[in-house]
Amino acid sequence: TSFYGLRRTGQETHYTILDVSNNATTEEIKKAYKKKASQYHPDKNYGNEKDAEEMFKSIANAYDVLKDAQERI
């Protein structure tokens, strides 16, 4: 499915959800997270709150994993 230009294929990785490369710096990951979280925040997506909430949770989860360089492997 697609939600506001982000295609959900079921094959996403934490990197693709945040739209960063596998060798992104912590600062690049943080910047991408803030951008995506703002874009998909349920309060900003009237009429699509349920889809936005699902995407927002995926974005938050991806950031939670990638923000720690030790977990990134």
Side-chain angles (χ1 to χ4, degrees):
T1 62
S2 178
F3 179 65
Y4 288 99
L6 183 65
R7 188 171 193 95
R8 301 297 309 261
T9 63
Q11 299 288 330
E12 294 92 6
T13 67
H14 298 304
Y15 296 99
T16 58
I17 289 170
L18 293 180
D19 197 24
V20 295
S21 67
N22 291 2
N23 58 355
T25 65
T26 302
E27 191 59 37
E28 290 170 328
I29 291 168
K30 184 177 182 179
K31 184 177 178 180
Y33 164 72
K34 287 182 177 186
K35 180 179 177 182
K36 293 283 186 178
S38 176
Q39 180 181 1
Y40 291 101
H41 195 283
D43 291 346
K44 292 186 175 184
N45 288 280
Y46 303 108
N48 269 330
E49 290 91 350
K50 186 176 180 179
D51 290 336
E53 182 178 356
E54 179 184 326
M55 192 63 221
F56 188 78
K57 286 179 182 179
S58 295
I59 291 164
N61 181 53
Y63 179 67
D64 193 44
V65 171
L66 296 180
K67 71 181 178 184
D68 184 353
Q70 297 298 327
E71 287 190 44
R72 275 193 250 163
I73 307 177

